[in-house]
Amino acid sequence: MQMRIGGTGTGSLDGTSIEVKNPATGELVDRVPFGSSEDVNRAVEVAEAAFAGWKQKTTRERGMILFRAAGVVRERHRDVARLLTTEQGKPLKESIDEVRGFAGILEFYAGISAHQTGELSRLGPAGDCLVTREPLGVCGAIIPWNMPVIIMGWKVGPALLAGNTLVVKPASSTPLANLTLAGILEESGLPPGVLNVVTGWGETVGEALVRHPLVRKISFTGNSETGGKIRALAAAHPKELTLELGGSDPMIVMDDAHIDKAVEGAIRGRFYNAGQTCTAVKRLYVHEKVSGTFLRKLKSRIDALNVGNGLGPKTEMGPLNSAVQRERIARLVEETHENNDGTVLSGGCPLTGKAYEAGFFYRPTLVSDVSGRSRLLTEEVFGPVLPVMTVPDLDAAIQEANTTRFGLGASVWTANIHTVRKVFDNVHAGIIWVNRHLTVPPEIPFGGVSESGIGRENGSHALEQYSRTKTLFLGW
Ligand code: NDP
């Protein structure tokens, strides 16, 4: 597949390419151009040239193009989802949800396009003030491999509706669905150059995009270390930044929770996308009065999870996205076991056998009584390993929940509104779910505190992050 620059498919200037492989089978899925800083320059120049025309369109006109594209994505969602599963590994059902979710995001922004207004301040004899918002110009979007489609939607939807043009850099292991969706947006009426996609490594294409003086904003989703690097690189120019970084979300299960629903919440919260989700349940705290029953039920659900190729009709969990990811996860579990920092109740090793030998499969893993010094708790664990700890009461649960440098999401499972209030007021996170985890519909702002990042995506709030105020003072 080729990159998209100025509305056409194009190779890299030097003609080299990157192989995209299926993480379940090791087979080659496709090749994409190995882009360079020269390719970024081309894309940024084209996006800069397209900006004036795109900005001139009304918000409603831009919204209608997003709406048409959403319709085409819905028509072709099965093909795009299949492509996503073959490059990323997740079960087809999850890919379908993600691709439909992308369409839902475009529909949401199309829907609010009719309601964009400014603010009027009447200042008496001095005059009136009209405060409007204007787009920033060329924006850069850097996308990770874990949820490449939904995260592309979170950036493309508000950036384009606000009137910006974009250069997208997909993750090197998952560029195909992103390129396909960019093609659909073009077919649906997006003028050439408004949305461009440059493939290639983060250190070359990503950094060139961040450094480029004509790029007015970078929206980056990825790990916290890369986020720190991008922050430093971006500081050379006046540039807006949204950083959606890692997380280590706690889930608190109180003694009045509906146990079966909480068990299902933990299964989905941790093992969805093989645990490779920024807001996955990464630390589970269970009230001691219910921990015995809860753990028994949780373990039996984990042991029964069907792991395999994401295209298999019964697959509930696919492989990890790369060998590196699997090594990282395996090392964290081995280290916890060797140091007596926790008890492995389920899993704790890669899957073996013919169906698994060419892919990056790892058993869904449950580790109990994890010590606070274990890296399973101090680092972001981006894979199917669930550490579970018993707590005597809500205060202890909140205290443990806050022992992290991250602050993306958190959930509490309870029937008591006072418990909800206490968790909401005291747990450091951008979103608190009650009797749920992971759900992020297009309407709600999403983003973290502390090392989980800066800025918000999704919802109408994201439009503010892709525009700036401009004021007209009318002295009558
Ligand atoms: P990385 O930071 O390694 O990569 C993310 C993207 O950044 C990729 O496109 C990558 O390119 C690119 N990149 C890498 N290095 C640079 C650089 N120096 N300059 C510019 N771009 C660069 O993250 P992961 O791929 O490991 O993604 C998983 C992480 O994303 C997790 O920590 C997860 O929590 C986080 N995440 C956060 C979310 C949030 O909203 N808060 C949502 C989803 C994930 P390449 O592919 O070529 O390496």
Side-chain angles (χ1 to χ4, degrees):
M1 225 181 254
Q2 300 210 297
M3 309 194 273
R4 310 287 321 167
I5 298 182
T8 50
T10 166
S12 59
L13 282 173
D14 66 5
T16 50
S17 61
I18 298 175
E19 291 187 337
V20 180
K21 291 193 172 169
N22 185 330
T25 63
E27 286 160 358
L28 181 69
V29 183
D30 204 346
R31 289 189 173 82
V32 292
F34 197 157
S36 63
S37 55
E38 288 305 305
D39 296 303
V40 172
N41 291 345
R42 274 201 291 160
V44 173
E45 279 159 24
V46 164
E48 176 76 2
F51 176 59
W54 184 241
K55 181 185 167 189
Q56 257 175 15
K57 286 195 184 296
T58 63
T59 314
R60 186 77 177 263
E61 284 168 334
R62 294 194 290 262
M64 282 312 292
I65 293 174
L66 298 183
F67 186 68
R68 277 199 293 277
V72 181
V73 172
R74 287 199 184 277
E75 271 165 32
R76 296 199 210 148
H77 77 271
R78 286 202 165 269
D79 295 340
V80 184
R82 222 182 145 77
L83 188 60
L84 177 59
T85 288
T86 51
E87 65 178 338
Q88 203 277 348
K90 62 184 69 186
L92 189 57
K93 186 185 169 310
E94 291 181 15
S95 291
I96 289 174
D97 285 350
E98 192 170 336
V99 175
R100 284 184 177 153
F102 180 90
I105 292 167
L106 297 190
E107 285 158 359
F108 168 77
Y109 286 107
I112 62 172
S113 69
H115 296 283
Q116 295 309 301
T117 53
E119 294 160 31
L120 176 68
S121 297
R122 311 223 60 179
L123 305 175
D128 290 335
C129 253
L130 186 63
V131 182
T132 61
R133 296 199 76 87
E134 65 172 13
L136 303 172
V138 181
C139 299
I142 303 179
I143 298 176
W145 48 265
N146 64 330
M147 309 279 282
V149 166
I150 213 83
I151 291 170
M152 180 181 177
W154 286 354
K155 298 183 192 309
V156 165
L160 295 187
L161 185 70
N164 304 282
T165 55
L166 258 184
V167 178
V168 171
K169 185 241 165 299
S172 298
S173 62
T174 56
L176 303 175
N178 286 164
L179 286 164
T180 306
L181 291 166
I184 289 179
L185 275 147
E186 287 165 6
E187 274 174 46
S188 308
L190 205 61
V194 170
L195 174 63
N196 308 276
V197 183
V198 180
T199 51
W201 296 135
E203 285 80 1
T204 47
V205 169
E207 289 195 13
L209 196 54
V210 177
R211 284 182 207 273
H212 203 296
L214 285 180
V215 174
R216 312 290 177 194
K217 177 192 172 92
I218 289 287
S219 174
F220 166 80
T221 302
N223 75 53
S224 299
E225 286 68 30
T226 318
K229 216 166 162 183
I230 286 175
R231 201 170 180 175
L233 283 175
H237 301 282
K239 211 177 282 263
E240 308 270 337
L241 266 189
T242 297
L243 300 176
E244 295 290 355
L245 309 176
S248 182
D249 286 14
M251 166 172 172
I252 299 172
V253 180
M254 292 306 292
D255 53 346
D256 59 351
H258 189 301
I259 297 298
D260 290 339
K261 286 189 180 160
V263 166
E264 285 314 307
I267 293 287
R268 182 177 139 79
R270 177 72 273 199
F271 300 105
Y272 189 83
N273 197 17
Q276 305 165 119
T277 306
C278 49
T279 54
V281 171
K282 294 186 181 130
R283 297 171 294 137
L284 177 54
Y285 298 101
V286 186
H287 194 285
E288 62 186 10
K289 281 194 193 150
V290 293
S291 64
T293 318
F294 184 88
L295 264 183
R296 192 169 34 77
K297 291 188 175 205
L298 182 63
K299 177 174 160 36
S300 86
R301 274 292 279 123
I302 290 175
D303 291 340
L305 281 173
N306 197 324
V307 184
N309 186 325
L311 293 179
K314 295 198 174 136
T315 299
E316 292 171 290
M317 192 182 100
L320 293 170
N321 182 250
S322 66
V324 174
Q325 282 301 118
R326 185 170 66 174
E327 292 322 308
R328 256 185 219 150
I329 293 302
R331 188 62 213 126
L332 288 173
V333 175
E334 279 159 19
E335 186 185 287
T336 303
H337 177 65
E338 284 159 13
N339 297 341
N340 277 328
D341 278 343
T343 308
V344 178
L345 297 180
S346 289
C349 54
L351 280 125
T352 50
K354 197 150 179 49
Y356 303 113
E357 63 196 18
F360 310 122
F361 294 95
Y362 194 80
R363 278 188 190 283
T365 298
L366 181 63
V367 189
S368 68
D369 304 320
V370 180
S371 131
R373 62 174 181 254
S374 164
R375 288 201 297 142
L376 283 185
L377 298 186
T378 59
E379 291 193 5
E380 179 185 32
V381 180
F382 219 56
V385 179
L386 182 54
V388 54
M389 285 69 58
T390 299
V391 285
D393 53 34
L394 182 61
D395 288 338
I398 291 174
Q399 196 183 337
E400 292 297 326
N402 284 335
T403 54
T404 174
R405 58 200 168 95
F406 298 107
L408 199 49
S411 66
V412 59
W413 298 70
T414 182
N416 184 334
I417 193 75
H418 300 292
T419 302
V420 172
R421 178 71 196 263
K422 199 162 177 180
V423 169
F424 186 74
D425 286 346
N426 294 292
V427 172
H428 306 311
I431 178 168
I432 307 284
W433 287 280
V434 179
N435 299 325
R436 256 181 199 254
H437 204 110
L438 272 190
T439 313
V440 183
E443 293 80 359
I444 64 170
F446 180 77
V449 299
S450 307
E451 288 192 31
S452 287
I454 44 177
R456 292 290 179 266
E457 294 198 304
N458 218 30
S460 54
H461 295 73
L463 283 176
E464 286 168 22
Q465 313 245 320
Y466 284 99
S467 58
R468 60 181 161 238
T469 56
K470 186 164 188 184
T471 306
L472 178 69
F473 193 109
L474 293 163
W476 294 121

